[in-house]
């Protein structure tokens, strides 16, 4: 068996994703004037900060071999709760935000417990969570609530200046912090490696004496918290609460995670890949915006094609790995 | 706690465990002394696995006590048992194929540095741990990249890397070749010298006697006795396991089989023949002939290409050279469906993952292949299914109260019989049996081999694959010998000795 290798095959999907991002961005730079600027790149982060945050939570869930469909609804619920408390009850932001995070964490923990203790399918449990959270939005209000609170406005409009005229928003800082946290958790903690072990073979993980139940509950709690944080980010971004916010965002998040190179069956992938996955979705959207003649639904078509292509690529890699083994 | 050799490090007494409909253990007992190798013996269904599961915290006993030294303990889960110093290597490799080799050894007990997993140290430790077992692999690659034998060594390295007082090995050698077994035993001898108690479950009598100091025998979930290995002759051990006296030499070939009267019948055209069948990286092109009523054995060491040959014959892997001659017509099987249509059945090596559907009943498992061949639109009526299942259960002696029980609850030997029944139900012309006796006890092995022979004599052609040469010699009419993924010869089964086969295997080196 050869000890030398150029490349870990598990890294290939991530490398392909990154290359694809560079190529797509490069194409935009050539095709449209004004595309090649650092602010266009930074806008990708600003406009997709919430998606980055949910995608990181979703990555860990998918790495265990699970799925979390409730993320979009939790975002909507958090925007509603925030808007209502801030506008109608005049609660300060430093109380509202932690409360929202607690709601998300509680939601996630509850779903995690159902999945673990009753051995229920994550798909069904989180589908239930999705309907529940979306429904709760309309208990608060059926209309959109605009936020005029000065503290919220200040955070929303704050620009963190980088070089020259370039800037990012506070949301971007939050998103990048979550990425760093996700990478740290997944690759440098016992918790994270247990997540991978569960995704690889849950029965083995139990027999190896790993805390499988605790880890699964924690993973859904983490995803719930990420969704709530994404809800906070959306609130800053949209400055409103509405039950129709983030419709279908769970599917965008799943798409970003898969395009980022994580195997939907769990156990294989890199959390950082999900950031790149989100950026690809973002850059496709920007291209279509810059073009101006295409309907925004073309984004969906492009994403659909990409998703299928990535699943094929991953299957191809599995196959290639086996052939390599047979030849060794 | 003071440990001295006269005091057991582990004592299990009066252990009861009931599963729905079965008394898996009743009043089972086991003692382990420090620095000894203790073999736990018994037939399939004797309760060995259940006793080990109770000890390692996978199952909770209904009654009984477990003492470690002087303390009463109740292992609640695997992690708890590990903390108590009980470490286990399971028969089926229970590791994560997606994690790196190093992680599989240390997960749950990662070396940490500044609150982070210390990858560098972990990999260095893993290399050292595997070196102690004479395994030299890239520990940063996923475990799934390596063959089963290496995965098994990694599982052992994992168990050894904990500071275990008690090491439980559940059939650790069933997927290892002789070299690897020898290496493993060397390592275990070192551990024994350090005062670790080793509990060893195996079906290999040779290994039991070569290696263990003491033997505990279980039968039907009950404690039969504890013996010093030196004081218990092999025949006595087998009788205690089976519960009755049996004939001499377990694998001796039945005498009536040795006469050469069949030889004359072997001159006609074969039922199937592989002609130059091969696949790059799997097996060199080879010729094999299968005749009705004859067993062809495949002999060879682990990794010699036995399973690969079977997979080509059944169309699981596509051959890139040669063809299969089915009574005159040359065919190239593109999928198992092609092979099934041609009348070939296949019992795979790994019955847990490729064979049985554990949640389905015995009846459903038996009619599976038959139904698949008829297509889903021609449903076999339930009454007819029962008829087929009951007939085969009786014919093959599957021990079960009835055909509706989930097959997962049967013992390994009975599962294997049900799998045979599945293919016999399709009334194939030829049956490929890949390791049909793996992981089952001596008596059940004999039973399966005799059954194979009996079915064969009714006009079925059989390809018999086993890593135990004695078994191949016992059942085969002819033996094709493989070495390094190449056929090196063929010998007549009648009167053949192990050394004849090994001479062929060793051939080129001499």
């Amino acid at each position: 068996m050869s000890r030398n290798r150029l490349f870990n095959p598990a890294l290939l999907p991530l490398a392909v994703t990154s290359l694809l991002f560079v190529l797509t961005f490069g194409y935009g730079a050539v095709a449209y004037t004004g595309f090649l600027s650092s602010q266009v790149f930074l806008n990708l982060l600003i406009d997709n900060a919430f998606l980055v945050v949910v995608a990181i939570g979703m990555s860990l869930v998918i790495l265990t071999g699970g799925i979390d469909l409730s993320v979009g609804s939790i975002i909507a619920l958090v925007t509603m709760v925030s808007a209502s408390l801030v506008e109608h009850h005049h609660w300060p932001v430093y109380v509202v935000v932690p409360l929202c995070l607690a709601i998300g964490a509680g939601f996630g923990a509850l779903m995690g417990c159902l999945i673990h203790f009753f051995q229920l399918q994550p798909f069904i449990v989180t589908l239930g969570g999705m309907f529940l959270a979306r429904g709760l939005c309309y208990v608060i209000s059926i209309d959109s609530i605009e936020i005029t609170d000065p503290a919220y406005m200040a955070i929303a409009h704050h620009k963190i200046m980088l070089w020259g005229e370039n800037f990012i928003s506070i949301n971007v800082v939050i998103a990048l912090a979550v990425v760093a946290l996700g990478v740290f958790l997944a690759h440098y903690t016992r918790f994270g490696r247990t997540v991978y072990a569960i995704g690889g073979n849950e029965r083995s993980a139990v027999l190896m004496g790993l805390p499988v139940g605790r880890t699964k509950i924690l993973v859904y709690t983490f995803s719930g918290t990420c969704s709530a944080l994404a809800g906070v980010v959306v609130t800053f971004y949209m400055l409103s609460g509405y039950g129709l916010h983030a419709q279908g965002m769970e599917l965008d998040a799943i798409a970003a995670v898969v395009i980022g190179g994580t195997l939907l069956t769990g156990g294989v992938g890199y959390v950082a890949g999900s950031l790149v996955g989100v950026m690809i979705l973002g850059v496709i959207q920007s291209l279509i915006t810059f073009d101006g003649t295409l309907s925004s639904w073309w984004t969906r078509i492009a994403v659909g094609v990409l998703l299928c292509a990535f699943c094929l690529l991953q299957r191809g890699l599995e196959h290639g790995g086996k052939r390599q083994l047979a030849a060794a | 706690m003071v440990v001295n050799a006269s005091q057991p490090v582990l004592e299990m007494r009066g252990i009861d465990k009931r599963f729905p409909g079965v008394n898996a253990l009743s009043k089972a007992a086991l003692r382990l002394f420090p620095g000894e190798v203790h073999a736990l013996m018994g037939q399939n269904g004797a309760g060995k696995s259940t006793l080990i599961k109770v000890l390692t915290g996978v199952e909770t006993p209904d009654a009984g006590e477990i003492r470690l030294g002087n303390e009463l303990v109740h292992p609640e889960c695997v992690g708890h048992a590990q903390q108590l110093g009980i470490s286990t290597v399971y028969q089926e490799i229970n590791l994560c194929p997606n994690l790196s080799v190093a992680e599989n050894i240390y997960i749950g007990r990662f070396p940490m540095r500044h609150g982070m997993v210390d990858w560098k140290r972990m990999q260095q430790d893993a290399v050292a741990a595997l070196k102690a077992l004479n395994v030299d692999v890239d520990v940063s690659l996923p475990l799934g990249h390596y063959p089963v034998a290496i995965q098994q060594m990694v599982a052992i390295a994992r168990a050894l890397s904990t500071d275990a007082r008690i090491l439980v090995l559940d059939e650790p050698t069933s997927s290892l070749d002789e070299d690897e077994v020898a290496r493993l035993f060397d390592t275990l001898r070192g551990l024994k010298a350090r005062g670790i108690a080793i509990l060893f479950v195996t079906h290999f009598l040779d290994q039991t006697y070569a290696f263990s100091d003491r033997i505990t025998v279980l039968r039907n979930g009950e404690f039969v006795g504890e013996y010093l290995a030196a004081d218990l002759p092999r025949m006595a051990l087998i009788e205690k396991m089976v519960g009755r006296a049996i004939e001499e030499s377990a694998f001796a070939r039945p005498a009536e089989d040795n006469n050469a009267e069949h030889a004359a019948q072997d001159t006609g055209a074969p039922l199937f023949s592989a002609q130059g069948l091969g696949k790059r990286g799997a097996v060199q092109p080879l010729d094999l002939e299968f005749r009705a009523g004859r067993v062809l054995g495949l002999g060879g060491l682990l990794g010699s290409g036995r399973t690969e040959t079977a997979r080509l014959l059944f169309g699981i892997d596509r051959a890139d050279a040669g063809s299969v001659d089915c009574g005159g017509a040359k065919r190239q099987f593109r999928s198992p469906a092609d092979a099934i249509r041609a009348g070939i059945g296949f019992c795979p090596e790994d019955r847990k993952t490729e064979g049985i559907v554990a949640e389905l009943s015995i009846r459903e498992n038996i009619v599976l292949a038959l139904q698949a061949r008829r297509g889903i639109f021609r449903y076999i009526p339930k009454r007819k299914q029962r008829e087929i299942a009951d007939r085969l259960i009786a014919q093959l002696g599957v021990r079960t109260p009835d055909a509706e029980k989930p097959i997962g609850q049967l013992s390994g030997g009975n599962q294997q019989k049900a799998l045979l029944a599945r293919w016999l139900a399709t009334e194939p012309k030829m049956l490929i049996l890949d390791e049909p006796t793996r992981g089952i006890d001596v008596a059940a092995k004999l039973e399966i081999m005799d059954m194979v022979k009996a079915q064969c004599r009714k006009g079925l052609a059989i390809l018999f694959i086993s890593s135990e040469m004695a078994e191949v010699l016992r059942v085969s009419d002819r033996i094709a010998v493989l070495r390094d993924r190449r056929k090196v010869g063929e010998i007549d089964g009648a009167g053949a000795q192990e050394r004849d086969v090994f001479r062929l295997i060793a051939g080129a080196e001499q």
Side-chain angles (χ1 to χ4, degrees), chain A residues 40 42 178 204 208 240 245 254:
Chain A
V40 169
L42 293 175
V178 172
S204 292
M208 287 200 284
S240 71
H245 274 338
I254 294 168

Side-chain angles (χ1 to χ4, degrees), chain A residues 67 69 111 115 120-131:
Chain A
I67 196 94
L69 299 178
M111 291 188 298
I115 290 165
L120 299 177
Q121 293 295 322
F123 188 95
I124 291 301
V125 173
T126 58
L127 186 68
M130 171 178 131
F131 287 131

